[in-house]
Amino acid sequence: MKRCHIIAGAVLAGALWSCNGSKNGSDTIHTMEIERYFDEPAFDNITHKIKIKEKFTPEFTDSTMYNAPRLCAVADGKAYMVEFSYMHPESYLSTFSWPDGKLLETFTRYGAGPEEYQYSYETYFTPADGLWTVHDSNIGRYNIMQYDNAGRLVRKTVNDTIYVMAPTPAGGWIAFNPSYSMEGEYHKIAEKIIREYDSDWKLLAETQLHDKRMMMRGGGFMDIIMNCMGNNYVNDRDTIWRYDCDAHRLSPAIAMHIGKYGYDWSTVNTREERDRVEETHLTPLYPVFNSRYAFLSYYKPGEEINRYDIYDLRDGSLVYRMERPKNEDVMQRMGLPLEIDGMTVTGWPMAYQDSEDFYVMIPAENIAEATGDDEVNPIILKISIDD
């Protein structure tokens, strides 16, 4: 059976991040006080508040033995999942009953035909219309393939202006452009433009961001669009902004107070310069958040350390910190310690959230190590953090 072999970013780096927010957004600007708490050692002031609300283990079949699954949606007692991996583009798009994990439907359209995809790393399921959307974009391919849950092609769109995308609450899409230019040995972003589309991929609006980021060792943290309980969010510099699809504009939502540890990475041109800057500066990687807490990971400057922080968004305070060596199997031991079925395991929130709760994935290797059974799928827990 397959077991889970993924890096830290794979769980967090989904193109859909979700959080709880009002339908019309909010003028409240929350904070993560990263600089203020930078020198704090590892500590835990939160796991005693965690409650496991539901446990989901996807059924094993020939098409659903997961290495790195993405939870695309949970709706109406069903979970929609796809393999989250560059290495497995042929992965099946599968529907399970939630939370008992019974496989209900599954299909793959991997291939070279006109109704097939060759790249399924970015896949979405939108419960409102019941469609799977596969962004088949790699090495000259610019297809957006949309299928019903039986695998029948509903719509194919060709668009070479999209790099990453996410569904809007209105039934359309917003997307970043792929405006990269080669300078030296790096792909640099010349500019970043958010484009908003309706459900038929008609362009509705464009917004240019301020930041010009480089794809660094840990990934460019702004190259993500967050779809969060009626709101879409994007990163620009050290701020997470809410995109208002009615007004077609951005409003600040969460300020990441990085201070002296921040850097304009777009000015870096060589690996040597990158390594030098990383000795004293950090890049926040793919925060996962709701209306109360934000989970954040980053490489600690000057040390071979991965950090995993949790901030209380009401006052920006740090409430949890774990540190692990960079060369450790971080996915197996990173995150929150949790007790399930008599096992002590660790997990970190997945990209998908649909409320003030979090969905946490326990990697298959973690479970295999605790049970001695290699024939296991990852476990996904729905947890709450209670006061």
Side-chain angles (χ1 to χ4, degrees):
M1 291 296 185
K2 295 183 181 178
R3 292 168 58 186
C4 187
H5 297 276
I6 49 180
I7 60 172
V11 174
L12 305 182
L16 292 175
W17 293 348
S18 294
C19 66
N20 183 64
S22 66
K23 180 66 177 177
N24 297 316
S26 171
D27 293 330
T28 301
I29 301 176
H30 298 293
T31 63
M32 286 185 274
E33 299 294 342
I34 299 170
E35 181 184 30
R36 179 190 302 176
Y37 294 99
F38 182 82
D39 292 328
E40 291 290 327
F43 75 103
D44 180 0
N45 191 32
I46 202 169
T47 57
H48 66 283
K49 302 178 182 179
I50 293 176
K51 292 184 179 180
I52 297 174
K53 301 178 72 172
E54 293 178 319
K55 173 189 170 186
F56 169 77
T57 303
E59 180 184 358
F60 266 112
T61 71
D62 289 342
S63 59
T64 59
M65 295 180 291
Y66 290 115
N67 283 334
R70 167 187 281 173
L71 181 63
C72 297
V74 177
D76 301 322
K78 297 178 180 179
Y80 302 87
M81 295 182 67
V82 65
E83 179 76 5
F84 186 91
S85 174
Y86 285 107
M87 303 303 294
H88 300 278
E90 73 281 5
S91 297
Y92 285 74
L93 285 56
S94 302
T95 305
F96 299 88
S97 57
W98 178 278
D100 61 9
K102 181 178 175 57
L103 180 64
L104 302 177
E105 295 177 282
T106 188
F107 71 91
T108 181
R109 297 302 304 273
Y110 176 73
E115 297 188 358
E116 297 174 325
Y117 55 79
Q118 294 187 348
Y119 178 76
S120 61
Y121 183 70
E122 288 191 51
T123 299
Y124 314 85
F125 183 84
T126 44
D129 57 15
L131 294 182
W132 291 91
T133 300
V134 178
H135 187 203
D136 181 24
S137 175
N138 190 28
I139 314 178
R141 297 177 65 87
Y142 306 104
N143 300 327
I144 299 168
M145 314 293 286
Q146 293 182 284
Y147 304 94
D148 64 17
N149 214 21
R152 292 182 291 261
L153 183 68
V154 175
R155 181 186 294 114
K156 178 179 179 179
T157 304
V158 179
N159 190 323
D160 64 357
T161 68
I162 290 177
Y163 174 57
V164 292
M165 62 189 196
T168 68
W173 298 83
I174 61 173
F176 277 130
N177 64 303
S179 54
Y180 290 90
S181 62
M182 286 299 294
E183 293 185 30
E185 54 187 315
Y186 290 105
H187 283 85
K188 295 184 108 176
I189 300 171
E191 60 182 12
K192 268 297 183 186
I193 299 173
I194 294 175
R195 292 186 170 93
E196 181 186 353
Y197 300 88
D198 66 12
S199 59
D200 294 319
W201 295 98
K202 177 184 177 182
L203 183 63
L204 300 177
E206 292 185 348
T207 302
Q208 185 165 332
L209 301 183
H210 299 93
D211 210 348
K212 296 181 180 180
R213 291 199 58 81
M214 175 192 296
M215 297 300 289
M216 297 302 295
R217 185 184 314 177
F221 80 99
M222 70 163 286
D223 287 338
I224 297 294
I225 298 173
M226 300 156 271
N227 185 281
C228 310
M229 286 300 291
N231 294 290
N232 294 102
Y233 292 82
V234 299
N235 291 78
D236 194 12
R237 293 183 176 168
D238 58 358
T239 302
I240 297 173
W241 300 73
R242 182 180 65 85
Y243 186 78
D244 188 329
C245 291
D246 295 323
H248 311 296
R249 64 180 177 85
L250 293 167
S251 309
I254 301 175
M256 295 183 287
H257 291 168
I258 304 173
K260 65 183 180 182
Y261 299 107
Y263 197 79
D264 181 3
W265 293 99
S266 66
T267 64
V268 177
N269 291 297
T270 67
R271 293 184 182 275
E272 291 75 19
E273 186 179 2
R274 180 200 67 185
D275 292 342
R276 176 180 58 78
V277 172
E278 283 189 341
E279 288 296 313
T280 52
H281 299 84
L282 64 87
T283 300
L285 301 176
Y286 311 117
V288 180
F289 56 90
N290 59 21
S291 61
R292 174 66 185 277
Y293 294 104
F295 290 71
L296 182 72
S297 64
Y298 59 88
Y299 300 131
K300 185 179 179 182
E303 301 182 35
E304 292 296 308
I305 293 292
N306 296 297
R307 262 189 175 171
Y308 308 97
D309 289 353
I310 304 176
Y311 295 87
D312 188 328
L313 293 177
R314 294 174 301 177
D315 57 10
S317 61
L318 181 70
V319 296
Y320 178 85
R321 170 165 288 163
M322 171 182 278
E323 295 184 338
R324 295 294 189 200
K326 279 186 181 180
N327 60 356
E328 187 176 283
D329 184 356
V330 293
M331 273 307 305
Q332 192 168 341
R333 297 176 178 83
M334 65 174 260
L336 300 166
L338 300 166
E339 294 286 338
I340 56 170
D341 300 336
M343 301 180 293
T344 299
V345 293
T346 55
W348 197 253
M350 303 183 75
Y352 176 80
Q353 314 295 334
D354 68 352
S355 67
E356 291 193 2
D357 300 323
F358 288 100
Y359 291 94
V360 176
M361 187 178 81
I362 312 301
E365 278 197 334
N366 199 322
I367 301 166
E369 184 180 72
T371 63
D373 183 2
D374 287 341
E375 296 188 355
V376 291
N377 252 347
I379 292 175
I380 296 174
L381 302 176
K382 186 176 183 180
I383 67 169
S384 63
I385 302 174
D386 298 335
D387 289 331

